[in-house]
Amino acid sequence: MKQFVFHLSNRMDRFSRWIMIGFFMIAFITTVYQVFSRFVLQSTFLNDALPMVDFSVFNLTWAEELIRYLFVWIVFLGIGIVYKAKGHAQVEILHHYLSEKSKKYLHYFMEVINSALFLFLIFFGGRILQYTKLQISPAMGINMTFIYVTVLVSAVICLIHSVNNIYEVKEGKVVVEDAMKVEEVQQQTNIS
């Protein structure tokens, strides 16, 4: 089971990264096109130079909404990526004063709380989807369930990472990694 969760966590992280890169590229290209459309194709210079051409047909009215929804997906996928990398902000003062055994229990406690939060988000994220079935986005005309499902997807990904972190704590990997990070910070900042 431990190996399955480990591989699943790594694959979810890799998959999330690729999806996020793809969404960033689509959002970037759409943003550049919107800027080009507004400031070049809709310019008075171009309209005066070519009055017979209606450049307003090149203006995509749904592009801003697409960009907004892509960024929602990017943020929620990023939550899982940062959680996997243990990059969220945290208060580490207890880690300096606790024994190795106490640190292990503290990590267990934090991961159990995180898992409970993710289960809460999965449960209520699923309930939110029931209410959004009938909502349609104004410009794109898509079902809003595709947007609100990001909460559910992010919570499932983070829960998988959290279970993987619990296995890592059990094996003692997390405590050693944290101690190495503290030593690196002390060396970089000359704190002794």
Side-chain angles (χ1 to χ4, degrees):
M1 181 69 172
K2 175 176 48 176
Q3 289 297 326
F4 173 74
V5 172
F6 174 75
H7 290 299
L8 184 62
S9 175
N10 287 339
R11 287 178 194 234
M12 293 299 283
D13 186 54
R14 225 174 301 126
F15 182 72
S16 297
R17 288 174 189 264
W18 281 108
I19 294 293
M20 208 164 102
I21 289 169
F23 285 171
F24 260 123
M25 289 172 46
I26 293 168
F28 176 75
I29 291 168
T30 307
T31 303
V32 169
Y33 178 77
Q34 278 294 94
V35 170
F36 176 77
S37 172
R38 283 187 185 167
F39 293 105
V40 176
L41 296 179
Q42 301 295 323
S43 68
T44 55
F45 172 76
L46 198 58
N47 285 330
D48 291 342
L50 300 168
M52 67 296 266
V53 179
D54 182 20
F55 288 104
S56 65
V57 296
F58 298 110
N59 193 11
L60 304 176
T61 57
W62 48 266
E64 289 180 40
E65 192 171 279
L66 173 68
I67 295 165
R68 188 178 318 121
Y69 294 155
L70 287 174
F71 275 116
V72 169
W73 271 95
I74 289 166
V75 166
F76 277 94
L77 288 174
I79 291 169
I81 292 169
V82 172
Y83 186 76
K84 169 78 173 165
K86 297 175 183 72
H88 285 291
Q90 54 184 323
V91 179
E92 294 182 350
I93 194 159
L94 286 177
H95 295 275
H96 298 292
Y97 298 109
L98 294 177
S99 65
E100 292 300 315
K101 189 174 182 180
S102 299
K103 286 180 187 178
K104 190 173 183 177
Y105 289 128
L106 179 63
H107 282 289
Y108 269 128
F109 180 68
M110 290 186 315
E111 290 302 330
V112 166
I113 288 176
N114 288 339
S115 296
L117 172 69
F118 300 138
L119 287 171
F120 174 83
L121 288 173
I122 289 169
F123 178 74
F124 285 104
R127 292 189 62 186
I128 287 172
L129 296 181
Q130 295 173 355
Y131 298 111
T132 61
K133 284 190 283 192
L134 302 175
Q135 294 179 358
I136 304 296
S137 69
M140 293 177 61
I142 62 170
N143 194 321
M144 290 301 289
T145 302
F146 292 118
I147 309 309
Y148 286 103
V149 77
T150 57
V151 174
L152 189 65
V153 169
S154 175
V156 168
I157 291 171
C158 288
L159 181 63
I160 292 167
H161 294 327
S162 183
V163 171
N164 183 50
N165 289 346
I166 289 172
Y167 282 127
E168 285 181 357
V169 169
K170 189 174 183 180
E171 292 178 359
K173 291 180 182 177
V174 174
V175 176
V176 173
E177 290 173 1
D178 287 344
M180 290 171 44
K181 286 181 187 176
V182 170
E183 288 176 15
E184 287 176 16
V185 169
Q186 287 176 346
Q187 289 174 356
Q188 290 174 357
T189 58
N190 297 326
I191 297 174
S192 13

